[in-house]
Short mmCIF file of all heavy atoms in Angstrom, two decimals:
data_model
loop_
_atom_site.label_atom_id
_atom_site.label_comp_id
_atom_site.label_asym_id
_atom_site.label_seq_id
_atom_site.Cartn_x
_atom_site.Cartn_y
_atom_site.Cartn_z
N GLY A 1 -0.18 4.56 -3.87
CA GLY A 1 0.21 3.32 -4.53
C GLY A 1 1.60 3.42 -5.14
O GLY A 1 2.42 2.50 -5.01
N LEU A 2 1.87 4.54 -5.80
CA LEU A 2 3.20 4.72 -6.39
C LEU A 2 4.28 4.76 -5.32
O LEU A 2 5.35 4.16 -5.49
CB LEU A 2 3.24 6.01 -7.22
CG LEU A 2 2.49 5.98 -8.54
CD1 LEU A 2 2.42 7.37 -9.16
CD2 LEU A 2 3.16 5.00 -9.49
N LEU A 3 4.02 5.46 -4.23
CA LEU A 3 4.99 5.53 -3.14
C LEU A 3 5.25 4.14 -2.55
O LEU A 3 6.40 3.73 -2.38
CB LEU A 3 4.49 6.49 -2.05
CG LEU A 3 5.35 6.59 -0.79
CD1 LEU A 3 6.74 7.13 -1.13
CD2 LEU A 3 4.66 7.48 0.24
N ALA A 4 4.19 3.41 -2.27
CA ALA A 4 4.34 2.07 -1.69
C ALA A 4 5.07 1.13 -2.65
O ALA A 4 5.97 0.40 -2.24
CB ALA A 4 2.97 1.50 -1.33
N TYR A 5 4.69 1.18 -3.90
CA TYR A 5 5.32 0.29 -4.89
C TYR A 5 6.79 0.64 -5.08
O TYR A 5 7.65 -0.25 -5.19
CB TYR A 5 4.56 0.39 -6.22
CG TYR A 5 4.79 -0.78 -7.12
CD1 TYR A 5 4.35 -2.05 -6.78
CD2 TYR A 5 5.45 -0.63 -8.33
CE1 TYR A 5 4.56 -3.14 -7.61
CE2 TYR A 5 5.66 -1.71 -9.18
CZ TYR A 5 5.21 -2.95 -8.81
OH TYR A 5 5.42 -4.03 -9.63
N TYR A 6 7.10 1.92 -5.10
CA TYR A 6 8.50 2.38 -5.23
C TYR A 6 9.35 1.86 -4.07
O TYR A 6 10.44 1.34 -4.27
CB TYR A 6 8.53 3.91 -5.28
CG TYR A 6 9.91 4.49 -5.32
CD1 TYR A 6 10.65 4.49 -6.51
CD2 TYR A 6 10.50 5.02 -4.18
CE1 TYR A 6 11.93 5.01 -6.54
CE2 TYR A 6 11.78 5.54 -4.20
CZ TYR A 6 12.49 5.54 -5.39
OH TYR A 6 13.76 6.04 -5.42
N VAL A 7 8.83 1.97 -2.85
CA VAL A 7 9.58 1.52 -1.68
C VAL A 7 9.78 0.01 -1.72
O VAL A 7 10.88 -0.49 -1.49
CB VAL A 7 8.87 1.95 -0.37
CG1 VAL A 7 9.52 1.31 0.84
CG2 VAL A 7 8.89 3.47 -0.23
N THR A 8 8.72 -0.74 -2.05
CA THR A 8 8.86 -2.20 -2.08
C THR A 8 9.81 -2.66 -3.19
O THR A 8 10.54 -3.63 -2.99
CB THR A 8 7.51 -2.92 -2.23
OG1 THR A 8 6.86 -2.44 -3.39
CG2 THR A 8 6.65 -2.74 -1.02
N LEU A 9 9.80 -1.98 -4.31
CA LEU A 9 10.73 -2.35 -5.38
C LEU A 9 12.17 -2.04 -4.97
O LEU A 9 13.08 -2.82 -5.25
CB LEU A 9 10.38 -1.64 -6.68
CG LEU A 9 9.13 -2.13 -7.41
CD1 LEU A 9 8.89 -1.32 -8.66
CD2 LEU A 9 9.23 -3.61 -7.75
N ASN A 10 12.37 -0.89 -4.33
CA ASN A 10 13.73 -0.55 -3.89
C ASN A 10 14.24 -1.49 -2.81
O ASN A 10 15.43 -1.76 -2.74
CB ASN A 10 13.79 0.90 -3.39
CG ASN A 10 13.98 1.86 -4.53
OD1 ASN A 10 14.40 1.49 -5.62
ND2 ASN A 10 13.66 3.11 -4.30
N LEU A 11 13.35 -1.97 -1.95
CA LEU A 11 13.75 -2.93 -0.92
C LEU A 11 13.78 -4.36 -1.45
O LEU A 11 14.16 -5.27 -0.73
CB LEU A 11 12.80 -2.83 0.28
CG LEU A 11 12.83 -1.52 1.05
CD1 LEU A 11 11.78 -1.52 2.15
CD2 LEU A 11 14.22 -1.27 1.64
N GLN A 12 13.35 -4.54 -2.70
CA GLN A 12 13.31 -5.84 -3.37
C GLN A 12 12.55 -6.88 -2.53
O GLN A 12 13.04 -7.98 -2.27
CB GLN A 12 14.73 -6.32 -3.69
CG GLN A 12 15.44 -5.40 -4.63
CD GLN A 12 16.87 -5.82 -4.91
OE1 GLN A 12 17.40 -6.73 -4.29
NE2 GLN A 12 17.49 -5.16 -5.87
N LEU A 13 11.34 -6.50 -2.15
CA LEU A 13 10.52 -7.39 -1.34
C LEU A 13 9.86 -8.45 -2.22
O LEU A 13 9.79 -8.33 -3.44
CB LEU A 13 9.49 -6.60 -0.55
CG LEU A 13 10.10 -5.63 0.48
CD1 LEU A 13 9.01 -4.89 1.22
CD2 LEU A 13 11.00 -6.36 1.46
N TYR A 14 9.34 -9.46 -1.57
CA TYR A 14 8.87 -10.69 -2.21
C TYR A 14 7.70 -10.48 -3.17
O TYR A 14 7.71 -10.98 -4.29
CB TYR A 14 8.50 -11.69 -1.11
CG TYR A 14 7.88 -12.98 -1.57
CD1 TYR A 14 8.62 -13.90 -2.29
CD2 TYR A 14 6.56 -13.27 -1.28
CE1 TYR A 14 8.07 -15.09 -2.71
CE2 TYR A 14 6.00 -14.46 -1.69
CZ TYR A 14 6.76 -15.37 -2.41
OH TYR A 14 6.20 -16.54 -2.82
N ASN A 15 6.65 -9.79 -2.75
CA ASN A 15 5.44 -9.68 -3.55
C ASN A 15 4.87 -8.26 -3.44
O ASN A 15 3.97 -8.00 -2.65
CB ASN A 15 4.41 -10.70 -3.07
CG ASN A 15 3.28 -10.89 -4.03
OD1 ASN A 15 3.17 -10.18 -5.03
ND2 ASN A 15 2.43 -11.85 -3.75
N PRO A 16 5.35 -7.32 -4.27
CA PRO A 16 4.92 -5.93 -4.17
C PRO A 16 3.42 -5.70 -4.38
O PRO A 16 2.89 -4.67 -4.01
CB PRO A 16 5.71 -5.22 -5.27
CG PRO A 16 6.85 -6.12 -5.57
CD PRO A 16 6.40 -7.51 -5.26
N VAL A 17 2.73 -6.67 -4.95
CA VAL A 17 1.29 -6.53 -5.15
C VAL A 17 0.57 -6.36 -3.81
O VAL A 17 -0.43 -5.66 -3.72
CB VAL A 17 0.76 -7.75 -5.94
CG1 VAL A 17 -0.72 -7.95 -5.77
CG2 VAL A 17 1.11 -7.59 -7.39
N TRP A 18 1.07 -6.99 -2.75
CA TRP A 18 0.44 -6.89 -1.44
C TRP A 18 0.37 -5.45 -0.96
O TRP A 18 -0.61 -5.03 -0.37
CB TRP A 18 1.15 -7.76 -0.41
CG TRP A 18 0.96 -9.23 -0.61
CD1 TRP A 18 -0.08 -9.85 -1.25
CD2 TRP A 18 1.81 -10.27 -0.17
NE1 TRP A 18 0.07 -11.21 -1.22
CE2 TRP A 18 1.24 -11.50 -0.55
CE3 TRP A 18 3.02 -10.29 0.53
CZ2 TRP A 18 1.81 -12.72 -0.28
CZ3 TRP A 18 3.59 -11.51 0.80
CH2 TRP A 18 3.00 -12.71 0.40
N CYS A 19 1.43 -4.67 -1.22
CA CYS A 19 1.40 -3.26 -0.77
C CYS A 19 0.39 -2.47 -1.59
O CYS A 19 -0.30 -1.59 -1.06
CB CYS A 19 2.79 -2.64 -0.80
SG CYS A 19 3.38 -2.21 -2.44
N LEU A 20 0.28 -2.76 -2.88
CA LEU A 20 -0.70 -2.05 -3.71
C LEU A 20 -2.13 -2.37 -3.30
O LEU A 20 -2.98 -1.47 -3.23
CB LEU A 20 -0.49 -2.38 -5.19
CG LEU A 20 0.77 -1.81 -5.82
CD1 LEU A 20 0.94 -2.33 -7.23
CD2 LEU A 20 0.73 -0.30 -5.81
N LEU A 21 -2.40 -3.63 -3.06
CA LEU A 21 -3.74 -4.01 -2.60
C LEU A 21 -4.06 -3.36 -1.26
O LEU A 21 -5.19 -2.92 -1.03
CB LEU A 21 -3.86 -5.53 -2.50
CG LEU A 21 -3.83 -6.29 -3.82
CD1 LEU A 21 -3.78 -7.78 -3.59
CD2 LEU A 21 -5.01 -5.91 -4.69
N THR A 22 -3.06 -3.28 -0.40
CA THR A 22 -3.26 -2.63 0.90
C THR A 22 -3.62 -1.16 0.71
O THR A 22 -4.55 -0.67 1.35
CB THR A 22 -1.98 -2.76 1.75
OG1 THR A 22 -1.76 -4.14 2.01
CG2 THR A 22 -2.10 -2.02 3.05
N VAL A 23 -2.90 -0.48 -0.15
CA VAL A 23 -3.21 0.94 -0.41
C VAL A 23 -4.64 1.08 -0.92
O VAL A 23 -5.39 1.93 -0.44
CB VAL A 23 -2.20 1.55 -1.41
CG1 VAL A 23 -2.69 2.89 -1.93
CG2 VAL A 23 -0.83 1.71 -0.78
N MET A 24 -5.01 0.26 -1.88
CA MET A 24 -6.35 0.36 -2.47
C MET A 24 -7.43 0.14 -1.41
O MET A 24 -8.44 0.85 -1.38
CB MET A 24 -6.52 -0.67 -3.60
CG MET A 24 -5.63 -0.44 -4.79
SD MET A 24 -6.00 1.08 -5.67
CE MET A 24 -7.58 0.67 -6.36
N ILE A 25 -7.23 -0.83 -0.53
CA ILE A 25 -8.24 -1.15 0.48
C ILE A 25 -8.28 -0.11 1.58
O ILE A 25 -9.34 0.35 2.00
CB ILE A 25 -8.02 -2.56 1.03
CG1 ILE A 25 -8.31 -3.59 -0.07
CG2 ILE A 25 -8.86 -2.83 2.26
CD1 ILE A 25 -7.83 -4.98 0.22
N VAL A 26 -7.11 0.30 2.05
CA VAL A 26 -7.06 1.26 3.17
C VAL A 26 -7.57 2.63 2.73
O VAL A 26 -8.25 3.32 3.49
CB VAL A 26 -5.62 1.34 3.73
CG1 VAL A 26 -5.46 2.51 4.68
CG2 VAL A 26 -5.25 0.05 4.42
N MET A 27 -7.30 3.01 1.50
CA MET A 27 -7.73 4.33 1.02
C MET A 27 -9.25 4.43 0.86
O MET A 27 -9.78 5.53 0.71
CB MET A 27 -7.04 4.67 -0.31
CG MET A 27 -5.57 4.97 -0.18
SD MET A 27 -5.19 6.43 0.80
CE MET A 27 -5.69 7.73 -0.31
N LEU A 28 -9.95 3.32 0.92
CA LEU A 28 -11.41 3.37 0.81
C LEU A 28 -12.05 4.06 2.01
O LEU A 28 -13.19 4.51 1.92
CB LEU A 28 -11.98 1.97 0.64
CG LEU A 28 -11.69 1.30 -0.70
CD1 LEU A 28 -12.21 -0.13 -0.69
CD2 LEU A 28 -12.29 2.08 -1.84
N ALA A 29 -11.33 4.12 3.13
CA ALA A 29 -11.84 4.86 4.28
C ALA A 29 -11.89 6.34 3.90
O ALA A 29 -11.01 6.85 3.22
CB ALA A 29 -10.95 4.63 5.49
N LYS A 30 -12.90 7.03 4.35
CA LYS A 30 -13.15 8.40 3.88
C LYS A 30 -12.28 9.44 4.57
O LYS A 30 -11.82 10.38 3.95
CB LYS A 30 -14.63 8.71 4.11
CG LYS A 30 -15.09 10.01 3.54
CD LYS A 30 -16.60 10.16 3.72
CE LYS A 30 -17.12 11.44 3.14
NZ LYS A 30 -18.55 11.58 3.30
N TYR A 31 -12.04 9.26 5.85
CA TYR A 31 -11.37 10.29 6.65
C TYR A 31 -9.95 9.88 7.01
O TYR A 31 -9.63 8.70 7.09
CB TYR A 31 -12.15 10.55 7.94
CG TYR A 31 -13.61 10.87 7.71
CD1 TYR A 31 -14.59 9.98 8.09
CD2 TYR A 31 -13.98 12.06 7.12
CE1 TYR A 31 -15.93 10.27 7.88
CE2 TYR A 31 -15.32 12.35 6.89
CZ TYR A 31 -16.29 11.47 7.28
OH TYR A 31 -17.61 11.75 7.07
N VAL A 32 -9.11 10.88 7.29
CA VAL A 32 -7.72 10.62 7.66
C VAL A 32 -7.66 9.73 8.90
O VAL A 32 -6.89 8.77 8.95
CB VAL A 32 -6.97 11.96 7.91
CG1 VAL A 32 -5.59 11.70 8.46
CG2 VAL A 32 -6.90 12.77 6.63
N GLY A 33 -8.47 10.01 9.90
CA GLY A 33 -8.48 9.20 11.12
C GLY A 33 -8.92 7.78 10.87
O GLY A 33 -8.39 6.83 11.46
N ALA A 34 -9.89 7.60 9.99
CA ALA A 34 -10.37 6.25 9.67
C ALA A 34 -9.29 5.47 8.91
O ALA A 34 -9.13 4.26 9.12
CB ALA A 34 -11.65 6.32 8.85
N ILE A 35 -8.55 6.15 8.06
CA ILE A 35 -7.46 5.49 7.33
C ILE A 35 -6.38 5.07 8.31
O ILE A 35 -5.85 3.96 8.24
CB ILE A 35 -6.90 6.42 6.23
CG1 ILE A 35 -7.93 6.58 5.12
CG2 ILE A 35 -5.57 5.90 5.69
CD1 ILE A 35 -7.59 7.61 4.08
N ALA A 36 -6.05 5.94 9.26
CA ALA A 36 -5.03 5.61 10.26
C ALA A 36 -5.48 4.43 11.13
O ALA A 36 -4.70 3.51 11.39
CB ALA A 36 -4.73 6.82 11.13
N GLU A 37 -6.75 4.44 11.55
CA GLU A 37 -7.25 3.34 12.37
C GLU A 37 -7.25 2.03 11.59
O GLU A 37 -6.82 0.99 12.10
CB GLU A 37 -8.66 3.64 12.88
CG GLU A 37 -9.23 2.51 13.71
CD GLU A 37 -10.69 2.72 14.09
OE1 GLU A 37 -11.41 3.43 13.36
OE2 GLU A 37 -11.10 2.15 15.11
N LYS A 38 -7.70 2.09 10.36
CA LYS A 38 -7.74 0.88 9.53
C LYS A 38 -6.32 0.36 9.29
O LYS A 38 -6.09 -0.85 9.27
CB LYS A 38 -8.42 1.21 8.19
CG LYS A 38 -8.87 0.03 7.42
CD LYS A 38 -9.75 0.45 6.26
CE LYS A 38 -10.40 -0.75 5.63
NZ LYS A 38 -11.30 -0.41 4.55
#
C-alpha cells in the first residue's frame, strides 16, 4: 500500500485511493500465484 500510494502521489494521479483499495483487495489472495492471477 505504501509503495502504491507513493508512486501515485509522485505521478500526481487523479484518485490515489483506487490504488490502495486495489492493494487491499488483491492481497487477500493467499499465494503469490493467486495474487498475480488476480
Side-chain angles (χ1 to χ4, degrees):
L2 288 171
L3 176 62
Y5 200 66
Y6 176 78
V7 171
T8 55
L9 287 179
N10 276 341
L11 294 176
Q12 298 178 352
L13 296 180
Y14 175 68
N15 194 354
V17 159
W18 289 336
C19 76
L20 290 174
L21 292 173
T22 297
V23 167
M24 295 294 291
I25 292 167
V26 168
M27 289 296 287
L28 290 175
K30 187 175 181 179
Y31 307 111
V32 173
I35 290 172
E37 179 186 26
K38 197 170 190 178

